[in-house]
Amino acid sequence: MGYSTIALHCVLAFLFLAIIPVNGDVSYSVPEEMKRGSVIGNIAKDLGLDLRRLSARKARIDAEDNSVQYCVVNLNTGELIVQERIDREGLCAKKASCVVKQELVLENPLELHRINIRVQDVNDNSPQFKEESLKIEIQESAVKGARFLLGEAHDGDIGENAVQGYSLRQNDNFKLNVNTNAGGRKYCELVLDKELDREDKKEIELLLTAFDGGSPQRSGTVVIHVTALDANDNVPVFTETPWCSFCFAGVVLVLRMASFLRKIHCLLICHTDFHL
Ligand SMILES: [Ca+2]
Ligand SMILES: [Ca+2]
Ligand SMILES: [Ca+2]
Ligand SMILES: [Ca+2]
């Protein structure tokens, strides 16, 4: 195919698109995850179309740019009906605005209407930590006020439906400090409130909860295993055991016997000298 033929096709395609009348847009705002078969709105009514001619004009929904066709039009009622799952997180991730674009196509004469479906977030995700449990090792010599970063939980939802805060189950040694990073996300750290004593308690189990601001509220938890590492904070101390007591008594007895024998020996020598 030569360049001239391609150019001709391009021109024809352009002319074809140019002569399709694109009429007014229509917009709807719907919550994500509506059930299949749910009614988004009455598009025939909203566009002022003649309901009796929808079938004759072969009214149908097309997906713009060949993406998924999320809805269909009911030719009897003119209603726009959900056909595919509309998952805001899958479509738009963390974007603040999420719009699905579809088209209503009519024939005789050919007519297009753009449909913008604004997808509203629903609180259908709970905050989640990367791991089910965390392990932290802390020197028992760590001082009160020492901080240990815990990171953050993730929630696929946006706005109030995303993570709003954290809480730490009541315990003897730690408090929780919640900060906000440059991107506006909240993260937390453990703050040592009462110093550890490995000799008293080597292992401590904490429960950290992240919660969102949705309604109903959702939350996620992670167990934190804290291990107190040994510091050389004890001087050696002798302790009296039954065995040591026995040893000590034995030593005393031996010394006394030695003293007694020395006295006997002395008396014998003196006695011998007296007779000589
Ligand atoms: Ca969803
Ligand atoms: Ca959501
Ligand atoms: Ca959520
Ligand atoms: Ca120690």
Side-chain angles (χ1 to χ4, degrees):
M1 189 182 293
Y3 286 114
S4 57
T5 314
I6 293 171
L8 179 63
H9 283 182
C10 288
V11 170
L12 287 174
F14 175 77
L15 289 173
F16 177 73
L17 287 172
I19 58 174
I20 296 175
V22 177
N23 296 275
D25 291 1
V26 60
S27 294
Y28 297 100
S29 185
V30 298
E32 63 169 320
E33 311 285 0
M34 285 175 85
K35 285 183 183 166
R36 288 180 178 85
S38 300
V39 177
I40 295 173
N42 193 310
I43 195 165
K45 193 176 167 187
D46 294 334
L47 290 172
L49 301 171
D50 184 354
L51 199 57
R52 293 165 299 181
R53 297 208 61 225
L54 285 183
S55 287
R57 296 189 66 189
K58 295 179 182 170
R60 64 183 183 275
I61 302 296
D62 272 355
E64 270 195 5
D65 58 37
N66 297 321
S67 62
V68 179
Q69 187 185 325
Y70 288 98
C71 49
V72 291
V73 62
N74 183 320
L75 298 177
N76 296 318
T77 63
E79 289 173 328
L80 199 59
I81 309 288
V82 173
Q83 178 176 253
E84 285 292 333
R85 180 189 176 205
I86 304 175
D87 174 30
R88 197 210 61 80
E89 287 73 45
L91 287 164
C92 302
K94 285 288 183 183
K95 283 184 194 165
S97 169
C98 187
V99 180
V100 169
K101 297 190 178 215
Q102 308 271 272
E103 284 177 344
L104 174 68
V105 182
L106 298 157
E107 295 180 8
N108 306 316
L110 192 58
E111 201 175 307
L112 290 181
H113 295 273
R114 291 203 180 99
I115 308 166
N116 296 319
I117 302 173
R118 296 188 182 282
V119 184
Q120 305 300 320
D121 188 37
V122 163
N123 192 22
D124 57 342
N125 291 277
S126 299
Q128 272 192 322
F129 292 92
K130 269 185 193 163
E131 287 108 11
E132 286 185 1
S133 65
L134 291 172
K135 286 187 168 58
I136 300 179
E137 294 183 333
I138 299 175
Q139 282 280 342
E140 63 172 329
S141 56
V143 294
K144 182 177 177 178
R147 291 160 186 260
F148 307 92
L149 188 64
L150 294 175
E152 59 181 305
H154 295 271
D155 189 319
D157 303 318
I158 56 170
E160 287 292 304
N161 294 332
V163 176
Q164 298 298 307
Y166 297 86
S167 65
L168 187 68
R169 189 169 65 187
Q170 188 69 32
N171 69 95
D172 293 334
N173 296 92
F174 294 95
K175 288 195 301 189
L176 195 68
N177 192 33
V178 180
N179 298 313
T180 306
N181 65 17
R185 294 215 303 266
K186 290 186 166 60
Y187 65 97
C188 52
E189 53 191 11
L190 278 182
V191 181
L192 191 60
D193 192 41
K194 182 187 163 201
E195 290 171 1
L196 304 178
D197 181 2
R198 190 201 68 87
E199 287 73 32
D200 178 46
K201 199 171 187 182
K202 188 185 172 192
E203 305 283 343
I204 298 170
E205 193 175 282
L206 305 170
L207 186 70
L208 177 66
T209 302
F211 51 87
D212 63 28
S215 178
Q217 190 174 61
R218 287 171 172 259
S219 62
T221 59
V222 63
V223 176
I224 304 168
H225 299 280
V226 177
T227 302
L229 299 179
D230 192 27
N232 190 16
D233 55 349
N234 290 284
V235 292
V237 175
F238 285 109
T239 54
E240 191 173 311
T241 64
W243 171 246
C244 284
S245 299
F246 176 74
C247 292
F248 183 71
V251 169
V252 170
L253 184 65
V254 167
L255 289 173
R256 282 181 178 168
M257 283 184 70
S259 172
F260 176 72
L261 288 172
R262 217 170 24 248
K263 284 177 184 170
I264 296 290
H265 180 243
C266 191
L267 282 172
L268 285 173
I269 290 172
C270 293
H271 185 72
T272 307
D273 289 348
F274 180 79
H275 284 287
L276 286 172

